Amino acid sequence: MKHQYDVKKEESALFEKAKSKMTEYLHSEYKGIEKISYSEEYFIDPTGGITVEGYLNGDKTKEFDGLYDPVSDKIGSSSVDAEEKS
């Protein structure tokens, strides 16, 4: 049981890091980001990347998702329903 607890604790820490990096990414790459709401669900792929998703500015139709790569410490691929900065 302790192993399962440790794994979940590591996953939770990775998820928090991914959300932090996604927040930085959204603010640096897109216009008009005022509020970011994250889903509490995540997926860890076989290579160790973690997918985060949610919506923007309180509008559930303005969805985003991104794959955080802990090795490179950045968001690799993403889909964001917002206007990119020039």
Side-chain angles (χ1 to χ4, degrees), residues 21-55:
K21 286 295 180 177
M22 190 68 184
T23 297
E24 289 175 17
Y25 173 76
L26 290 169
H27 284 295
S28 70
E29 300 293 324
Y30 294 91
K31 296 179 182 179
I33 306 299
E34 296 171 15
K35 181 179 178 186
I36 302 169
S37 301
Y38 287 97
S39 168
E40 288 305 311
E41 296 180 14
Y42 57 86
F43 173 75
I44 299 176
D45 72 20
T47 64
I50 183 169
T51 300
V52 293
E53 55 188 30
Y55 57 93

Side-chain angles (χ1 to χ4, degrees), residues 2-73:
K2 181 172 177 358
H3 173 71
Q4 287 177 331
Y5 172 78
D6 289 345
V7 168
K8 189 67 176 170
K9 191 174 175 183
E10 288 174 19
E11 286 182 3
S12 292
L14 180 60
F15 183 49
E16 290 304 314
K17 179 72 172 182
K19 288 193 298 186
S20 173
K21 286 295 180 177
M22 190 68 184
T23 297
E24 289 175 17
Y25 173 76
L26 290 169
H27 284 295
S28 70
E29 300 293 324
Y30 294 91
K31 296 179 182 179
I33 306 299
E34 296 171 15
K35 181 179 178 186
I36 302 169
S37 301
Y38 287 97
S39 168
E40 288 305 311
E41 296 180 14
Y42 57 86
F43 173 75
I44 299 176
D45 72 20
T47 64
I50 183 169
T51 300
V52 293
E53 55 188 30
Y55 57 93
L56 303 169
N57 300 333
D59 183 348
K60 292 185 178 185
T61 66
K62 298 288 186 185
E63 298 177 322
F64 69 86
D65 64 72
L67 179 65
Y68 170 67
D69 177 8
V71 174
S72 65
D73 194 34

